[in-house]
Amino acid sequence: MDPISNPFAPGAGTPPPELAGRDELRERVRVALQRIRIARSAKSVLLVGLRGVGKTVLLVRMEKEAQAAGLRTLYVEAAENRSLPAMLTPQLRGVLLQLSKNGLSHQTRRAFRALAGFVRALKVQYGDIQISLDPDLAPEPGLADNGDLEQDLTALLLAAAEAAQKAGTALVLFLDELQYVEEGELAALITALHRTAQQEKPVTMVGAGLPTLRARTGRAKSYAERLFDFPFIGPLDREAARRAIEKPVLDQGANISENAFCRIFEETKGYPFFLQEWGKQAWNAAEAPPIGLEDVESASSAARTALDEGFFRVRVDQLTPSEWRYLRAMAELGAGPHRSGDIAKTLGRPVTAAAPIRSKLIAKGMVWSPNHGDTAFTVPLFDDFMTRFLSNDWRSRGLMS
């Protein structure tokens, strides 16, 4: 069929043609944000899940829905080796500029002064802060300028929240890939959100990250579990997966057979990113509708190749030889999760010798610990990828010993 009209959209955070299976969660977040707007209690939300389940897609859609409802939002994708202050300050400046479009209220002016004090006080500690500020809005002595991130971020968010409140709206922080935020900075953010909640100010956060995020927030602040909801974003069930595949096809005036859909669901296990890739390849493989089982079967090789060369390989090319060996040992044991002792045994090393490698892989977002002593891949179907392709790579890289 015509590849130009192919509706499927596999990509990092690319919106799918049909966002299936997430309506209940979107409604929960919508209600929470509107409660915050009218000074009612509501927890911040942290979406947690494996790679490829659509956390970023959800976060982007939720931000658009919040903006459509008149809320002021900022969106940050956390990155390794970038500080939280450097990522937040330009976005917060943008929000304050939006709030001042119809005139600079006392509260918005004070928020600008808080931002100026925050940047001046912390620029030495966080050298990656790059932001231009209005010279007419000089820092207010004693406002967000102590040089202590926890205190200053709290003062800054309180001032920004008061500016939003004056404008009859709320401030919503959308933060993606939160597992990359350094733990001390995460603790400061949690403290600031806690204090604004205590003061009943209209500011909240909707974040997303790998399953390690829940434990990291708990280590950062013991009360984090009472401050956040942690919905786990998993694969789609059969009916939601059917909608994700069938509706885009039907919208293009085509159709897909039941056997073809069942094979796609079997291959993808319902993971949204994989559904998009198989849908795309099956559409391209079909000469005419309906998309049949034979089209999916011929498309599966192209789908696996696309995933192997993009989704999977990009996550392992920077690993050290010892980290590759650890992942290979996990893959030999199956999908997981696996006991750390079993992985060490497969490696032929003591648990104590394998533990530092495991810690580095957790820090890189490749594995996580669903329970004490267990280790699992953060990337769905990663064991299949290792089994299919890495043997030749290990030989070429001298990693078999």
Side-chain angles (χ1 to χ4, degrees):
M1 296 192 290
D2 182 8
I4 295 175
S5 60
N6 190 325
F8 295 100
T14 304
E18 177 64 21
L19 184 55
R22 310 302 192 197
D23 291 349
E24 182 180 344
L25 178 57
R26 288 164 58 195
E27 176 62 11
R28 281 173 55 191
V29 170
R30 186 193 70 81
V31 170
L33 298 188
Q34 290 301 329
R35 284 182 60 82
I36 290 292
R37 184 177 195 166
I38 61 172
R40 297 288 190 271
S41 174
K43 291 182 179 180
S44 292
V45 177
L46 295 183
L47 315 176
V48 295
L50 303 180
R51 306 281 189 187
V53 295
K55 301 185 298 299
T56 297
V57 166
L58 263 176
L59 211 60
V60 171
R61 178 66 65 88
M62 288 172 176
E63 187 197 22
K64 288 182 178 179
E65 290 169 348
Q67 290 172 341
L71 304 177
R72 296 300 180 183
T73 71
L74 62 83
Y75 189 100
V76 169
E77 180 180 334
E80 294 178 275
N81 304 317
R82 284 206 70 198
S83 72
L84 182 64
M87 293 183 285
L88 279 180
T89 47
Q91 299 292 328
L92 191 53
R93 176 179 178 270
V95 170
L96 296 179
L97 288 171
Q98 291 175 2
L99 290 172
S100 62
K101 277 185 177 179
N102 296 322
L104 201 60
S105 68
H106 167 73
Q107 290 82 359
T108 305
R109 183 181 297 275
R110 189 167 187 270
F112 271 118
R113 294 190 184 280
L115 182 59
F118 182 88
V119 170
R120 177 180 290 183
L122 293 171
K123 194 168 180 59
V124 173
Q125 184 179 352
Y126 300 99
D128 57 344
I129 296 178
Q130 300 291 333
I131 182 173
S132 297
L133 295 169
D134 189 335
D136 294 332
L137 295 170
E140 178 181 319
L143 179 61
D145 64 354
N146 293 319
D148 177 273
L149 178 60
E150 193 166 284
Q151 293 181 27
D152 292 348
L153 185 57
T154 298
L156 176 59
L157 285 189
L158 282 169
E162 288 171 359
Q165 189 172 41
K166 175 65 176 177
T169 185
L171 173 62
V172 188
L173 283 60
F174 287 88
L175 274 63
D176 200 6
E177 301 287 4
L178 266 171
Q179 72 276 355
Y180 291 130
V181 175
E182 189 273 331
E183 204 159 288
E185 297 170 11
L186 183 61
L189 178 61
I190 293 170
T191 298
L193 290 168
H194 188 211
R195 186 60 178 157
T196 57
Q198 290 174 327
Q199 295 290 313
E200 297 182 319
K201 299 301 182 185
V203 60
T204 191
M205 179 174 73
V206 182
L210 294 176
T212 53
L213 186 57
R214 184 166 189 162
R216 293 190 78 243
T217 58
R219 288 194 303 270
K221 289 293 178 181
S222 59
Y223 54 76
E225 289 198 7
R226 286 169 282 150
L227 186 65
F228 298 109
D229 280 332
F230 294 88
F232 190 86
I233 312 302
L236 301 180
D237 63 26
R238 180 177 289 271
E239 289 312 305
R242 184 188 304 279
R243 183 171 177 81
I245 290 294
E246 286 187 350
K247 188 174 186 301
V249 172
L250 292 172
D251 287 347
Q252 294 298 314
N255 57 344
I256 181 170
S257 74
E258 176 66 15
N259 287 341
F261 164 73
C262 288
R263 178 56 61 87
I264 289 175
F265 188 73
E266 178 185 343
E267 293 278 6
T268 63
K269 307 295 189 294
Y271 285 101
F273 184 84
F274 300 161
L275 285 167
Q276 292 299 306
E277 189 62 62
W278 251 268
K280 172 187 174 182
Q281 300 298 340
W283 175 284
N284 289 342
E287 292 186 4
I291 298 171
L293 177 60
E294 65 281 2
D295 300 316
V296 175
E297 289 176 340
S298 64
S300 290
S301 176
R304 290 192 190 95
T305 298
L307 290 168
D308 290 345
E309 292 179 353
F311 184 77
F312 290 120
R313 285 295 297 268
V314 71
R315 306 186 188 282
V316 299
D317 278 344
Q318 303 303 315
L319 298 178
T320 66
S322 62
E323 291 163 353
W324 277 64
R325 293 189 186 98
Y326 194 98
L327 295 182
R328 175 60 179 268
M330 287 180 62
E332 289 176 0
L333 292 169
H338 305 294
R339 300 297 294 172
S340 298
D342 294 335
I343 300 169
K345 184 177 180 181
T346 303
L347 279 170
R349 305 183 69 172
V351 173
T352 53
I357 305 171
R358 178 179 182 267
S359 296
K360 290 178 181 177
L361 287 168
I362 289 174
K364 290 183 176 182
M366 288 301 303
V367 302
W368 70 294
S369 180
N371 297 292
H372 180 70
D374 285 345
T375 307
F377 294 116
T378 60
V379 181
L381 310 185
F382 194 77
D383 56 311
D384 289 343
F385 165 69
M386 296 286 281
T387 301
R388 282 197 305 273
F389 278 91
L390 292 192
S391 292
N392 289 336
D393 281 352
W394 279 53
R395 292 190 180 93
S396 66
R397 296 173 183 229
L399 301 177
M400 291 299 290
S401 59

